[in-house]
Amino acid sequence: MNRDRRPLAGLLIGHAVSLTGNVLTLIALPLYVLAETGSPAATGLAGAFATAPVVLGGAFGGVLVDRIGYRRSSVLADVVSGVTIAAVPLLHATVGLPFPALLALVFVSGLLDTPGQTARTALLPEAAAAAGVPIERAAGWEDATSRGARMIGAPVAGLLVGVFGAVPVLALDAVTFAVSALVVTLLVPRGLRPSDDGSEPETGGYWRQFAAGLRFLVREPLLRAMVLLVLVTNLFDAAKSNVLLPVVAERELGGPAAFGLLVGVMGGGALVGSLVFSAIGHRLPRRATFVTAYVLCGAPPLWALAAAPPLPVVAAVVAMAGLAAGALNPLMGAVQLERVPPAMRARVYGVIGAGAWAAMPAGAVGAGFAADRFGPTSTLVVMGACYLLVVLTPLLGGPWRDMRRPAVVRQREPEPTSERQRETLS
């Protein structure tokens, strides 16, 4: 059997480079706004404008990805994101960049992020089959590239912002999107498409196809429960990443380098966790692993930031949280691959992503105002307690019992036909 590893390599490399660009924005944008305005509330508003288009793009872009094609959608998303983010340093250095214009550019830049990532994920099973790689391992590698992008991109971005400022880092961000588009164009063949699962393709207009993806998610109790849980936890994570972490890092832990270091440590821990899960995850009980990982990755880093101990202590807690978090995305990804029909991947994944991200803009804005009103410490303590209560809910049962692996039906080998049986048959 001929194996072609180029499509899988192209998807993983493009995914890693594109997400590295997103991490550069994650670090540089809040520090840029904080330096320009000095306001946590303005920083939270910018974070909301960075996350809101991810939600909208995921919800409404899936149908377009199914129609346009996954490879083309990935390239187009990177090109648009690169052009719009490049406008930020260009305008800042020339005619000036008012805050409303910055918000508009950030919004447009993020609008195709989720469709682009969805397109690459939708091609993963076919790329893995072409390379002769099990889908569980390919999903683990994809998550590891995401984690690796955070591990490498965040500390580098923090150091670069500290040395050169946020504006040059945003220019570098635009370059990463161009590289990602080029890699996918060169390595992923045009003919790579989802395999036919035998189901009838959904016909009709845009809204009918969008409704089909939404209807599928609503009728799947386990996927629906997962989206609701991740929606709430992402609200807290957005509050931490977009507002509270940069504020605490700037005021208590040493500035941009500390911010980048903590994001990178989280990504590094999660990278190791993803690789470990890829190796042994199929032997672990899913629901217990899911809850344990969420408990370890949620509240502890929030409470560590609230206590504001020395930076190495915070980094150790964040590393532990990242290690636990590394199991979450591959585990949920495996469940989705088992339940979503190939012909509906982009639509359903887009709706899942949009649902998971829907509360993030509110989390960023709310954290900004809460930090101004009550202070970062009180906000972090309350958030940690709420996070812990939410992630324990899968232990109550309900649809979470269906998280177990589907039974594997083994086809029995035909028993040898005896001489007497052959005579009878003849």
Side-chain angles (χ1 to χ4, degrees):
M1 177 181 177
N2 294 327
R3 297 181 178 181
D4 187 358
R5 294 180 172 85
R6 290 176 300 171
L8 182 59
L11 291 176
L12 294 178
I13 294 172
H15 190 66
V17 175
S18 181
L19 288 184
T20 299
N22 290 339
V23 173
L24 294 178
T25 301
L26 174 70
I27 300 298
L29 180 63
L31 294 175
Y32 173 79
V33 175
L34 198 59
E36 293 291 316
T37 66
S39 169
T43 305
L45 186 60
F49 270 76
T51 53
V54 177
V55 178
L56 296 174
F60 299 107
V63 175
L64 297 178
V65 171
D66 279 333
R67 289 183 170 189
I68 295 173
Y70 299 152
R71 175 181 177 273
R72 187 181 302 172
S73 296
S74 174
V75 173
L76 179 62
D78 282 331
V79 170
V80 173
S81 295
V83 170
T84 51
I85 205 66
V88 174
L90 180 62
L91 293 176
H92 178 88
T94 54
V95 298
L97 184 61
F99 188 60
L102 171 66
L103 295 181
L105 287 173
V106 168
F107 184 90
V108 175
S109 178
L111 196 58
L112 294 183
D113 275 354
T114 303
Q117 294 178 29
T118 299
R120 290 187 290 271
T121 301
L123 282 175
L124 194 64
E126 285 67 42
V133 173
I135 185 58
E136 295 84 359
R137 186 167 299 169
W141 286 348
E142 183 191 41
D143 190 63
T145 61
S146 303
R147 308 298 188 176
R150 294 180 68 88
M151 179 187 69
I152 297 172
V156 170
L159 290 174
L160 291 176
V161 171
V163 175
F164 301 106
V167 174
V169 175
L170 291 172
L172 179 61
D173 184 8
V175 175
T176 63
F177 287 118
V179 171
S180 174
L182 182 63
V183 167
V184 172
T185 299
L186 294 178
L187 295 184
V188 179
R190 297 176 186 270
L192 190 70
R193 296 184 179 89
S195 56
D196 185 6
D197 64 344
S199 61
E200 289 295 326
E202 185 73 26
T203 59
Y206 172 91
W207 291 111
R208 181 173 178 178
Q209 294 185 25
F210 172 79
L214 182 61
R215 189 165 53 247
F216 178 87
L217 177 61
V218 170
R219 292 177 178 175
E220 279 283 331
L222 177 57
L223 295 182
R224 187 174 66 242
M226 287 173 55
V227 169
L228 291 175
L229 177 65
V230 176
L231 180 148
V232 177
T233 57
N234 275 352
L235 180 147
F236 298 134
D237 289 333
K240 177 189 69 177
S241 300
N242 292 330
V243 180
L244 297 171
L245 179 55
V247 169
V248 173
E250 182 70 28
R251 296 178 179 177
E252 305 289 343
L253 300 176
F259 180 29
L261 175 65
L262 291 177
V263 175
V265 167
M266 181 74 178
L271 171 61
V272 175
S274 296
L275 294 175
V276 171
F277 183 83
S278 298
I280 66 172
H282 59 284
R283 299 192 182 102
L284 301 175
R286 281 185 173 178
R287 183 158 53 127
T289 302
F290 184 74
V291 174
T292 302
Y294 247 133
V295 167
L296 293 177
C297 78
L302 294 171
W303 289 335
L305 288 172
L311 181 59
V313 177
V314 180
V317 175
V318 169
M320 177 203 68
L323 186 66
L328 292 174
N329 284 346
L331 199 160
M332 290 187 288
V335 173
Q336 293 171 20
L337 287 171
E338 291 166 357
R339 293 174 176 267
V340 179
M344 301 180 69
R345 282 178 191 157
R347 275 170 283 172
V348 177
Y349 287 3
V351 174
I352 288 174
W357 283 62
M360 293 181 71
V365 173
F369 285 107
D372 274 346
R373 176 67 177 84
F374 305 106
T377 300
S378 298
T379 304
L380 285 162
V381 170
V382 173
M383 279 176 46
C386 294
Y387 204 123
L388 181 61
L389 291 175
V390 169
V391 300
L392 291 176
T393 55
L395 296 179
L396 299 176
W400 295 102
R401 292 191 180 95
D402 294 333
M403 205 171 201
R404 60 185 179 274
R405 293 174 184 83
V408 177
V409 180
R410 297 182 180 274
Q411 184 176 4
R412 295 181 59 188
E413 293 292 332
E415 296 180 359
T417 305
S418 65
E419 184 67 29
R420 182 181 298 274
Q421 289 171 325
R422 285 196 294 269
E423 293 176 357
T424 302
L425 291 173
S426 61

